[in-house]
Amino acid sequence: MYTCGIDIGSVSTEALILDIDESKNYKILSYVVNKTGSNSKTAALESFNKALTDAKINRNEINSIIATGYGRVNVEFADKNITEITCHASGVTLIFPATATIIDIGGQDSKVIKIDKTTKKPIDFLMNDKCAAGTGRFLEVMAKTLEINLENFGDIFLNTKEKVDITSTCTVFAESEIVSLIGHGVAKEKIIKGLIYSIADRIISMISRVGLEEPVCLTGGVAKNSGISSAIEEKLGIKLSIPFEPQITGALGAAYLAAKIDHT
Amino acid sequence: MGMQSLKTSVINNVQNNLNTKFIKKLLRFISVKPVINLYGQSFKSIADRYLNIYSIRYLNEVYSENYPVAYGSLFLPYELINGLGLKPFLPEVIGGFTAGLGVSGKTIKTASNKWYSSDLCTFHRSATGASEMDLFPKPSFIFSSNLACDAACKSFQSFSRKYGIEKNYYLIDVPYENDKESLHYLSKQLENIFYDVSEKLYKKPDIENLKKAINYSNEFRKFAIEANNIRKQLFDYPQYFNGLNFILPFFGLCGTKETAKLYKIMRDELKEKLLKQDKNKKMKKVLWMHLKPYYRNEIFNILENNNCRVVFEETSNIFWEELNPEKPFESLAGKMLSNPLRGSGENRINAMRNLADSYDVDGVIMFSHWGCRQSNGLSRIIKDSFNRQGIPVLILDGDCVDINNCPAGQIKTRVEGFAEILNSV
Ligand SMILES: Nc1ncnc2c1ncn2[C@@H]1O[C@H](COP(=O)(O)OP(=O)(O)O)[C@@H](O)[C@H]1O
Ligand code: SF4
């Protein structure tokens, strides 16, 4: 049967189509990563249609759809809503079955999910969504201020030895702090190194509140920033597993869970 | 006027006419028979209906200027205050009402304009703002205690300044330990208050009236225990029934005939519900700790739509022994000392674990209300302690009074996520 998972985040929307059989063997037929933009309904529909086209199947061939993410209630064509907590746990454990802890850093929130190793289901979680500090948007704003492409942050982090501490956690204050550092002639690379460490520190504090248990998987758009993953690995002294496409684990989990929906 | 529209129009009117004169007029208007009955009909549960009618009538009395009014913080022996013939007015509870009436935005803003720290719990901040806006009845006495809530002593002192009654401000000092000496020390304070206030009221100390209040309190206690026992098996509650709505009678109106009657009504209503309940009905059982948001919110609907039911609340717990009317002060002191929020955090943890056991709960939600240090300070230990028993705990950060400090979407994801965890086992 074909199922679909749709994950509406604050920054990006993902749609994923799964071909799944009765013994739960599955194959990803297609996935789409789009910007959410100002209208999450449109983003959901467009992503869904694109995923259908890519998978070369028709809308009526889809057995069931689950929507997740902060915009999940806006997906009117979904059969069910499930939170990103459960969907991420499901998606990640399909890719890395042994995972005990998930760190998800998205556009405007970050979360740590603890997973029961036998049931593969979440048993505890912690979310930070009250403030943009330590999330993808924070990095985007800083990249703009520094006039350096966010995609290059990873390489810069790895190739820079020294860092400059950024003391402000507030996005607006951090921005002016950076402007003033640049004004004082501080190398942008050192600032980037400092920024990445500051985000890693916030994430590590969340992990220690939930309790670190290995193996740890990093997901969300920010997982594509190799600077962040390296900084977390360095500070925790562990190796993180990162899915081949860290933005789609929520949608993958949603599509997988959608197979359980019984229409009879 | 239709039932629902009466309630809505009351709320709209209060929002648009925030002044004491209007509040008095409105209370007088709703308190008369045909109107109050119509108002009562907008509540689906019988206990809720009685609670709301009774609260309006009580507020009408408080605002009428016909009785001496006493401000009091939450954790006081209200049998004493009611037994003295004072009309208790609980600013913290009214702070919660401001949220329900949709005016807490204004009251909180007023408080912050007057330099009250945004760090202060909004039950107090909203109440202080309302008092600054002269929305409160003028008190003759003010009582607070240092039991649990540290904010109360200070913010109640500022009320006494505002109304120029510093000499009628009583701070009850509840000792940390629960032993013989503490009991003696505390009961002497209560006794002194009783005689001192009687003298200030120019009346003979009426110990018989105090005994009457104690007897009503015992009656309420008995019915509440019975209602609580029914709740051990109950899932099918009357619509919109929520144990956290009964704070005013449970605390402030304890020792009145009406509160005893209210809990009898509640017991009977819940009993009938239990009899009609489908024997096979099963839901995930949740124990709720601390208070809840008092503005319109979806938390309890979300839980119910996700097969979870709050089966008991920390604030519904009858933690004290039956009172002895022949030893009123000692009994009331004993009641205060047996409060699990007194003394070491272990007391609260043990009490909550006992409740979790006897209600056989699947999970615990602890609402972490902004600024409430006495409660939030313990959240880590509470979580660890339940987790060790395999009971999941959601520490739900938010604000009971200030809707702007409690974004609905974030709360929804946390509560749904937690419900999914409970349902997955
Ligand atoms: N190629 C990339 N390199 C570095 N960072 C990226 C890249 N792609 C996305 N990001 C980061 O991921 C964030 C979005 O994360 P995502 O998980 O898609 O958000 P959400 O699901 O909350 O909408 C962006 O704000 C950005 O910081
Ligand atoms: S919520 Fe906490 S701080 Fe506020 S009144 Fe209650 S006990 Fe006091």
Side-chain angles (χ1 to χ4, degrees), chain B residues 84-109:
Chain B
L84 276 162
L86 302 171
K87 286 287 163 204
F89 182 79
L90 285 75
E92 293 149 337
V93 173
I94 307 297
F97 283 11
T98 61
L101 289 166
V103 299
S104 56
K106 287 183 189 161
T107 49
I108 291 171
K109 201 162 131 201

Side-chain angles (χ1 to χ4, degrees), chain A:
Chain A
M1 100 176 76
Y2 300 136
T3 62
C4 175
I6 298 184
D7 180 357
I8 318 242
S10 54
V11 170
S12 65
T13 292
E14 293 84 21
L16 181 146
I17 291 174
L18 210 59
D19 182 359
I20 181 165
D21 68 20
E22 260 139 47
S23 350
K24 291 275 170 107
N25 297 312
Y26 71 91
K27 196 172 148 230
I28 297 174
L29 295 186
S30 68
Y31 63 82
V32 178
V33 180
N34 261 337
K35 285 227 173 306
T36 301
S38 56
N39 189 336
S40 52
K41 278 186 194 176
T42 321
L45 196 60
E46 281 176 7
S47 309
F48 178 46
N49 286 333
K50 174 91 184 1
L52 286 173
T53 314
D54 290 356
K56 299 190 179 63
I57 55 174
N58 288 321
R59 161 87 213 243
N60 52 17
E61 290 175 83
I62 298 283
N63 189 67
S64 41
I65 305 170
I66 283 183
T68 186
Y70 105 105
R72 63 190 177 281
V73 287
N74 295 330
V75 188
E76 280 150 1
F77 55 88
D79 297 289
K80 200 177 165 184
N81 291 336
I82 294 185
T83 66
E84 48 273 41
I85 296 149
T86 302
C87 289
H88 268 101
S90 161
V92 166
T93 49
L94 287 177
I95 304 173
F96 301 116
T99 306
T101 312
I102 301 174
I103 309 169
D104 177 74
I105 317 177
Q108 280 178 28
D109 71 343
S110 43
K111 49 187 163 293
V112 177
I113 306 166
K114 200 172 188 165
I115 294 180
D116 185 295
K117 283 190 178 174
T118 39
T119 64
K120 312 271 178 237
K121 286 181 174 155
I123 43 173
D124 202 359
F125 63 88
L126 189 71
M127 297 182 79
N128 159 43
D129 48 12
K130 296 231 158 43
C131 148
T135 64
R137 268 270 210 266
F138 177 85
L139 280 166
E140 283 183 39
V141 173
M142 300 310 141
K144 226 179 192 162
T145 312
L146 287 159
E147 294 171 324
I148 288 181
N149 204 328
L150 194 52
E151 267 106 64
N152 301 330
F153 271 37
D155 286 341
I156 295 174
F157 176 84
L158 294 174
N159 297 323
T160 309
K161 289 224 159 57
E162 276 178 72
K163 62 161 182 159
V164 173
D165 285 330
I166 308 297
T167 52
S168 314
T169 36
C170 162
T171 311
V172 179
F173 289 168
E175 198 181 352
S176 33
E177 195 176 333
I178 287 174
V179 172
S180 127
L181 286 171
I182 298 173
H184 282 93
V186 177
K188 289 181 180 176
E189 290 74 12
K190 292 185 189 172
I191 300 176
I192 290 175
K193 187 117 181 166
L195 274 173
I196 286 178
Y197 274 127
S198 80
I199 293 192
D201 279 339
R202 300 194 121 232
I203 298 296
I204 286 164
S205 138
M206 282 176 78
I207 300 172
S208 39
R209 278 159 73 187
V210 176
L212 174 69
E213 216 176 308
E214 287 185 79
V216 183
C217 171
L218 179 66
T219 64
V222 177
K224 291 183 174 167
N225 186 329
S226 56
I228 297 285
S229 52
S230 313
I232 297 175
E233 286 180 338
E234 182 192 316
K235 294 221 162 194
L236 288 179
I238 60 167
K239 190 98 192 81
L240 297 170
S241 39
I242 301 175
F244 63 98
E245 172 43 277
Q247 271 168 301
I248 58 153
T249 47
L252 171 62
Y256 188 75
L257 294 170
K260 287 191 195 154
I261 293 179
D262 189 356
H263 287 291
T264 53

Side-chain angles (χ1 to χ4, degrees), chain B residues 77-80 82-83 190 207-221 254-256 260 320-333 335:
Chain B
Y78 277 95
E79 295 86 344
L80 182 75
N82 287 309
L190 301 181
I207 209 85
E208 286 312 310
N209 205 44
L210 177 61
K211 283 185 191 170
K212 217 157 102 187
I214 300 254
N215 285 327
Y216 283 137
S217 171
N218 280 337
E219 226 175 284
F220 141 65
R221 179 180 172 278
C254 186
T256 64
W320 64 94
E321 297 293 314
E322 192 176 341
L323 307 173
N324 181 353
E326 297 311 317
K327 291 183 178 170
F329 306 112
E330 207 179 295
S331 301
L332 292 176
K335 179 177 175 184

